[in-house]
Amino acid sequence: MQFDALSIRNFRCMESAELLPAESVNCIIGDNASGKTSVLEAIYILGRGQSFRHSPLHQAIRRGDDSFTVRARISDGASRHRRVGAHHDKRQFSLKLDDIDNVSRFELVSAAPLQLIDPNVHRLLEQGPQHRRQFLDWGVFHVEPLFFPAWRRYRRALKQRNHALRHRYAKHDVLAWDGELVKQGELVDACRRRYLDYLTDLLPKSTHRVIGNGQLQLSYTNGWKGTEGLGVALASTLDRDLRAGFTQQGPHRADLHVAISSTKARDWVSRGQQKILTTSLLLCQAQILHLRRGIKPVLLIDDLAAELGESFRQTVAEEIIRIGGQCFLTFLDESLVPDALTSAQMFHVEHGRVRRAL
Ligand SMILES: Nc1ncnc2c1ncn2[C@@H]1O[C@H](COP(=O)(O)OP(=O)(O)OP(=O)(O)O)[C@@H](O)[C@H]1O
Ligand SMILES: [Mg+2]
């Protein structure tokens, strides 16, 4: 999967930019505040239907303008093309896929699998479990077709059960949701476990250069206690759920633990190593998607050089080349581009203007 052509209008500091990216590696180079991350953000919106920045999306409309538009042509490498677009005016945000207006994020995400590795990627190890669940579920979503429908139905049932608990409905109104919760929840769990096996198989090879001989261990907790299934676990904490007013167990509480030789990775490795370890995790997901579904996702890597010395930058660059597929990386300066990427397509960004290097 790749972006063949990209058009950006009135987005952040960019009035108008047209990019014809290479099908492999693209480096976007420019000073602070020139617009590098904004280029990645525009691509991300086309693949995910939302931004990775936390501010409301209407703030991305260029100051003084009424709307932004981002469009691209995507190709699956077998000369099948699709057109994707995102538009935000004063009233609303809408997504377009080919000639269909107002498509859902789900349709977009399925059409253009895309992964972001930003300068804070190491926080995956430090932050709360929801970030690691999101990490895991991105991979599960793309690789396990049964996952998303089950997850959606699980979330719906969980919402209803929590509503019943919060409003102190009778016990049987709470229990009415348990059948669906257990059926879908166990399916979600099975998909995650299968995916985790793929990750566990592939990961040690790509992290060896970062952590040396320390043994990398990934462990997953499914979000409920005991080994007798979600139904038994839910029954055992029903009274506590009734008191608390919400469902305390289930796959919505799952977590992924990363340890090196039995010590939590975040305590074991330096900040730079944490970054390269989490980057390896994300690159590994890209490989799994290729191995299992034949799809190479687009990688967006913002400020690779932040906190990474030359040899680690080189390691990541070699991994990117090995994986193949399309990748967009940003750098403050051309001198920071690792040797392995010097034949990449270069773009220079200056005050929101993007220029393709010859
Ligand atoms: N809605 C907007 N209208 C105009 N300019 C904006 C808008 N939103 C953000 N900007 C500006 O766009 C500029 C580019 O931001 P961006 O984050 O893309 O820079 P960058 O090149 O990634 O910088 P850095 O190297 O510091 O990460 C910033 O100066 C920011 O203030
Ligand atoms: Mg930036």
Side-chain angles (χ1 to χ4, degrees):
M1 211 289 288
Q2 73 207 39
F3 287 85
D4 288 341
L6 181 71
S7 148
I8 304 171
R9 293 266 180 285
N10 299 328
F11 185 79
R12 302 235 177 246
C13 62
M14 283 175 284
E15 185 182 357
S16 171
E18 306 284 337
L19 278 82
L20 291 175
E23 63 185 50
S24 50
V25 181
N26 298 275
C27 296
I28 299 163
I29 297 156
D31 248 332
N32 288 121
S34 57
K36 303 179 297 297
T37 301
S38 304
V39 174
L40 296 193
E41 186 186 11
I43 301 172
Y44 187 92
I45 289 172
L46 290 175
R48 296 280 185 100
Q50 62 184 26
S51 174
F52 50 72
R53 303 206 212 230
H54 299 301
S55 49
L57 196 52
H58 70 83
Q59 289 181 9
I61 300 173
R62 186 167 172 261
R63 229 163 283 134
D65 281 298
D66 294 335
S67 63
F68 75 67
T69 307
V70 186
R71 277 195 297 254
R73 196 172 81 139
I74 53 175
S75 123
D76 64 1
S79 49
R80 273 191 300 267
H81 300 287
R82 303 196 82 174
R83 282 169 287 120
V84 286
H87 179 78
H88 205 319
D89 60 23
K90 287 222 157 91
R91 284 181 304 119
Q92 61 169 357
F93 175 57
S94 60
L95 299 165
K96 193 169 173 173
L97 185 58
D98 296 324
D99 293 321
I100 309 161
D101 288 317
N102 297 313
V103 293
S104 67
R105 281 187 49 217
F106 167 73
E107 284 166 278
L108 213 65
V109 172
S110 308
L114 171 153
Q115 187 61 286
L116 171 77
I117 298 176
D118 72 13
N120 294 319
V121 66
H122 63 275
R123 291 202 191 142
L124 188 67
L125 299 175
E126 297 167 353
Q127 288 173 328
Q130 79 270 25
H131 298 279
R132 285 182 294 278
R133 273 197 301 276
Q134 272 165 17
F135 156 79
L136 186 65
D137 287 348
W138 180 86
V140 188
F141 173 89
H142 286 293
V143 172
E144 295 287 333
L146 295 178
F147 171 77
F148 186 65
W151 181 234
R152 196 154 54 177
R153 292 178 73 169
Y154 175 82
R155 301 273 310 180
R156 209 175 293 148
L158 180 68
K159 201 170 154 198
Q160 299 292 345
R161 189 180 195 266
N162 282 343
H163 180 85
L165 286 165
R166 202 168 45 251
H167 292 89
R168 313 282 171 214
Y169 287 4
K171 224 179 217 183
H172 68 265
D173 288 325
V174 174
L175 289 172
W177 295 104
D178 285 18
E180 176 77 342
L181 216 57
V182 169
K183 185 172 165 208
Q184 306 305 336
E186 292 192 341
L187 194 50
V188 164
D189 181 50
C191 292
R192 283 176 173 164
R193 282 179 193 281
R194 225 177 0 252
Y195 183 77
L196 211 68
D197 286 342
Y198 305 145
L199 205 55
T200 315
D201 278 350
L202 210 60
L203 196 60
K205 292 185 209 94
S206 48
T207 52
H208 179 74
R209 278 195 281 180
V210 193
I211 57 169
N213 291 327
Q215 221 194 337
L216 181 78
Q217 290 140 344
L218 282 184
S219 60
Y220 161 75
T221 44
N222 60 8
W224 67 86
K225 295 202 176 80
T227 54
E228 290 171 84
L230 181 55
V232 174
L234 282 175
S236 73
T237 46
L238 177 62
D239 288 336
R240 270 177 44 207
D241 285 356
L242 288 164
R243 281 196 301 277
F246 65 95
T247 307
Q248 298 171 69
Q249 299 196 78
H252 60 291
R253 305 296 286 270
D255 197 1
L256 179 69
H257 310 271
V258 185
I260 295 156
S261 304
S262 304
T263 309
K264 275 187 183 168
R266 64 162 191 234
D267 303 328
W268 195 91
V269 292
S270 73
R271 176 68 73 84
Q273 282 175 310
Q274 276 184 28
K275 181 164 172 175
I276 198 162
L277 182 59
T278 40
T279 301
S280 305
L281 277 165
L282 291 157
L283 292 179
C284 224
Q285 288 195 306
Q287 288 182 70
I288 293 171
L289 187 49
H290 185 221
L291 288 171
R292 296 273 146 198
R293 304 293 304 271
I295 301 167
K296 288 186 179 174
V298 172
L299 299 172
L300 307 177
I301 306 186
D302 197 15
D303 205 359
L304 174 71
E307 294 191 282
L308 285 192
E310 204 180 326
S311 72
F312 275 163
R313 288 205 295 274
Q314 188 65 19
T315 304
V316 174
E318 284 164 12
E319 200 63 12
I320 290 165
I321 301 284
R322 204 171 62 78
I323 292 170
Q326 193 177 39
C327 181
F328 293 83
L329 300 104
T330 70
F331 295 94
L332 270 172
D333 190 278
E334 205 151 344
S335 65
L336 296 167
V337 177
D339 289 345
L341 303 184
T342 44
S343 60
Q345 176 61 55
M346 303 287 169
F347 291 92
H348 294 276
V349 191
E350 215 176 323
H351 305 300
R353 276 187 292 278
V354 187
R355 185 169 51 80
R356 192 178 206 254
L358 296 172

